Amino acid sequence: ASISSIGTIRSFLFLAVIAALAYYLFRKSQKSWRAASFFILWFFITLIPTSIIPLVAVLQENRGYLPGMAFAVIAAVVIERVPLLSGNKGGRPGPLPFVLSSIVLGGIIFSFSLAVVERNQVWRNDVSLWSDVVKKYPRSGQAYAALGLAYYDSGNMEAALQAYQTANGLGYSTSNLYLNLGALYQKTGRRSEAEELYKKVLEADPSAVSAYI
């Protein structure tokens, strides 16, 4: 995207607001707010390796584990500090902030519960999982190759063939794809086409035992 595009400008403004918030919290006297300030920076610092080093896969969720700690810490600080903001001089919180904190916490739990139910439908089987992936990443040849294998394992050869051909058309021309496509051709009686693909695999990798079989 261009630097002058609306999306880019909004992103810079959002980052500027986040940086200002981190600085403001750092200037607070309470240690808990300073901890929140640190973990705001922690989130972006731990994302630097992912930003510099390209991802091999469409998504590697393990790279979000360390940055994700920031959300847990900041949420804990907010839940702990917000009830104290309207308390009396002795530091005892009033009832309203407790109610608000409970509503927010309940909303988070409810939202995540709905997300779990939705994702369970996606993870129901390999076909539903990889169908969801190609829907979100239609230019990923690797995702289509995995979807083809899922269809093959489920016995849907026509859909598997279409997915394999789409993966190949997107430039994902790997030995594994040719092996899987060759196995499909072999199983559906198209032996000459399977043989041609196996030969391609052996030209690229003579040690590919599956191609000899």
Side-chain angles (χ1 to χ4, degrees), residues 26-27 31 34 40 44 73 87 93 137 158 182 188-189 203 209:
F26 177 76
R27 296 294 300 271
K31 291 184 179 180
R34 290 189 173 186
I40 289 175
F44 293 101
V73 173
Y137 301 96
E158 183 177 350
T188 54
E203 288 174 3
V209 178

Side-chain angles (χ1 to χ4, degrees), residues 46 115 133 156 207:
T46 51
V133 175
N156 192 340
S207 65

